Amino acid sequence: MKKFAFGLVALATLGLTSCSSDDDGGNTVVVDSVTAPDTYVFARDAESTVSFGGQTTRIQMAQEIVTGLVNTANTELVLDNMFTHVEDANDFSDADLNASDKSVRSKVAASTDYFAANTTDANAIKSTMDGYIQSQVNDVFPNWATTATSGVAGQIQQAGGGSIRYVNAKGLEYNQAFAKSLIGALMVDQILNNYLSTAVLDAGDNVANNDADILDGTNSYTTMEHKWDEAYGYLYGNEDNPAVPVYEADKFLSEYVAKVDGDSDFSGIAMDIYNAFKLGRAAIVAKNYDVRDAQAEIIKAKISEVIAVRGIYYLQQGKAKLGTDMASAFHALSEAYGFINSLQFTRKPGTTEPYLTKTEVEALTSQLMTGNGFWDVTPATLDAISDTISAEFDFTTAQAGS
């Protein structure tokens, strides 16, 4: 998989007049158009104004949880504690993660736009994630050495002596369902429906304070700047140099933006997202909220597209392996299952709606799990689900599935 080093990339420009990349003591000229800096670097009085430590922490916690889901030494309580971590609990291998007051579960299905007034769905989604942990420990771990068959959990090896996959009685890998669902329920939901929401960016006195360069307490940034950066952190926060991302810095959204960009049908999507983040942040510095909001809409559309493309891709990869390499088919379909779950957190630009609702998503995953699940699923069903998803977007099943 290719990686992307943006370095000194072409400027993302709106209009003909530029402003400085930050205010350097309040000297920013507010203009009708905004130019992004070459990289995601913003400073005030020579001090960086970019901060998203909490996002980096949660990405790293999530990675260790997913790894823990395939370690049979872990009990349900151990994994639950990792997911619901409290400050100074000894849940992780990294002392900094243990010392943190952050947790992954607290931010699952927790966006302002989708879940502040919908705690019923938020709690149900959290419970679904809890259920993947519970079922992995109670249903799959006890059958770790059992050969999986239709209706029986256990292990199944990919063709040619490939990887061993550990599945439930219907062929689903709970660790993949958890990981790919988390991309939507945590990263996508927080980026699109929380930190890039005008309800969050413009909350309280944020606009007035940003206009007046009033900083957030003793920090170097305004609250609005920080909210935008926190959105950025859920995609780029685990990079060695987040200002110049190379992607695949984690196994979540970072990896799959890169994978979609590597498909010739979607080449350039990674740069589109990166440029929109830079230009939107520069617009906040310039107090140009129309430009900011336009960039947020681009990010919403492009990240939503990433989720849909990968869902269809894995459905089609699974279809191609059915009957010849069931372990590979089940692995791909388990990834598809998680990406389909993640579609309920996408965002149609200009609306407050996902491309597919929770109810619609559950109808699709139910089709995958009918009867004996992946053991019984047909190519026709996988094509129908793929077409249902692609019909909501501006690409075809054939483009996404290749």
Side-chain angles (χ1 to χ4, degrees):
M1 171 60 66
K2 69 177 181 178
K3 290 179 179 284
F4 307 87
F6 289 119
L8 295 176
V9 296
L11 295 177
T13 306
L14 183 70
L16 300 175
T17 308
S18 67
C19 67
S20 63
S21 66
D22 213 309
D23 69 3
D24 281 337
N27 295 321
T28 295
V29 177
V30 178
V31 294
D32 292 333
S33 52
V34 180
T35 300
D38 288 343
T39 61
Y40 201 88
V41 174
F42 298 89
R44 177 176 282 110
D45 297 330
E47 182 178 359
S48 174
T49 62
V50 178
S51 175
F52 42 75
Q55 286 63 47
T56 301
T57 293
R58 288 192 176 90
I59 290 171
Q60 292 174 354
M61 286 178 171
Q63 290 193 141
E64 194 160 338
I65 295 166
V66 171
T67 299
L69 283 169
V70 290
N71 181 353
T72 57
N74 286 329
T75 65
E76 183 181 347
L77 180 61
V78 166
L79 292 166
D80 284 343
N81 286 344
M82 294 170 73
F83 192 34
T84 61
H85 176 73
V86 295
E87 186 174 4
D88 292 328
N90 190 31
D91 297 323
F92 299 99
S93 60
D94 187 317
D96 289 338
L97 298 184
N98 288 332
S100 175
D101 62 353
K102 312 299 183 187
S103 81
V104 174
R105 191 181 189 276
S106 66
K107 292 298 182 180
V108 165
S111 65
T112 296
D113 283 357
Y114 279 8
F115 299 107
N118 187 7
T119 56
T120 298
D121 280 355
N123 290 334
I125 292 163
K126 286 178 168 67
S127 293
T128 295
M129 301 298 288
D130 294 337
Y132 294 146
I133 294 172
Q134 181 182 50
S135 296
Q136 179 77 345
V137 172
N138 296 326
D139 299 342
V140 178
F141 280 5
N143 289 317
W144 208 248
T146 301
T147 299
T149 57
S150 181
V152 178
Q155 63 169 260
I156 182 169
Q157 188 170 27
Q158 292 180 197
S163 298
I164 296 174
R165 304 299 177 182
Y166 298 91
V167 301
N168 75 354
K170 295 192 175 191
L172 177 67
E173 289 181 272
Y174 285 121
N175 58 309
Q176 292 299 326
F178 183 96
K180 274 52 180 186
S181 297
L182 193 64
I183 292 173
L186 177 62
M187 289 80 181
V188 174
D189 188 47
Q190 285 294 300
I191 294 171
L192 308 191
N193 309 314
N194 197 64
Y195 291 119
L196 298 187
S197 163
T198 55
V200 172
L201 290 169
D202 295 346
D205 296 327
N206 286 0
V207 173
N209 288 345
N210 194 70
D211 285 344
D213 295 313
I214 296 173
L215 305 186
D216 183 359
T218 60
N219 297 300
S220 62
Y221 47 73
T222 69
T223 299
M224 188 188 296
E225 290 170 342
H226 184 49
K227 297 304 180 185
W228 188 273
D229 291 341
E230 288 182 295
Y232 186 86
Y234 271 117
L235 175 51
Y236 306 106
N238 207 43
E239 295 276 353
D240 289 337
N241 180 5
V244 188
V246 298
Y247 288 88
E248 298 188 88
D250 58 63
K251 295 297 185 181
F252 300 105
L253 189 56
S254 174
E255 176 175 358
Y256 292 100
V257 169
K259 287 186 181 300
V260 172
D261 193 272
D263 181 336
S264 60
D265 288 309
F266 303 97
S267 179
I269 193 169
M271 185 65 79
D272 290 341
I273 294 168
Y274 180 62
N275 283 341
F277 266 116
K278 289 189 299 162
L279 186 55
R281 180 60 157 80
I284 292 173
V285 174
K287 288 73 169 159
N288 189 326
Y289 306 120
D290 289 339
V291 173
R292 179 202 70 179
D293 293 345
Q295 301 317 299
E297 295 303 297
I298 291 170
I299 295 166
K300 291 172 186 178
K302 297 296 183 179
I303 289 181
S304 295
E305 188 173 295
V306 167
I307 301 304
V309 168
R310 289 314 282 188
I312 294 170
Y313 173 83
Y314 285 121
L315 288 169
Q316 294 301 307
Q317 292 298 301
K319 184 185 78 170
K321 296 294 185 179
L322 283 177
T324 60
D325 184 354
M326 297 302 277
S328 292
F330 291 175
H331 180 60
L333 294 176
S334 295
E335 293 188 275
Y337 184 99
F339 275 108
I340 292 169
N341 267 341
S342 286
L343 285 167
Q344 65 190 290
F345 306 100
T346 58
R347 184 73 170 261
K348 290 182 181 179
T351 77
T352 58
E353 301 172 355
Y355 282 87
L356 281 91
T357 66
K358 183 174 185 290
T359 299
E360 291 168 332
V361 161
E362 289 172 346
L364 297 181
T365 55
S366 292
Q367 289 181 54
L368 291 174
M369 291 290 100
T370 297
N372 284 315
F374 296 159
W375 294 98
D376 292 345
V377 74
T378 66
T381 295
L382 299 179
D383 282 339
I385 295 173
S386 297
D387 290 344
T388 296
I389 297 168
S390 63
E392 298 295 326
F393 292 83
D394 294 328
F395 57 80
T396 66
T397 293
Q399 288 174 310
S402 61

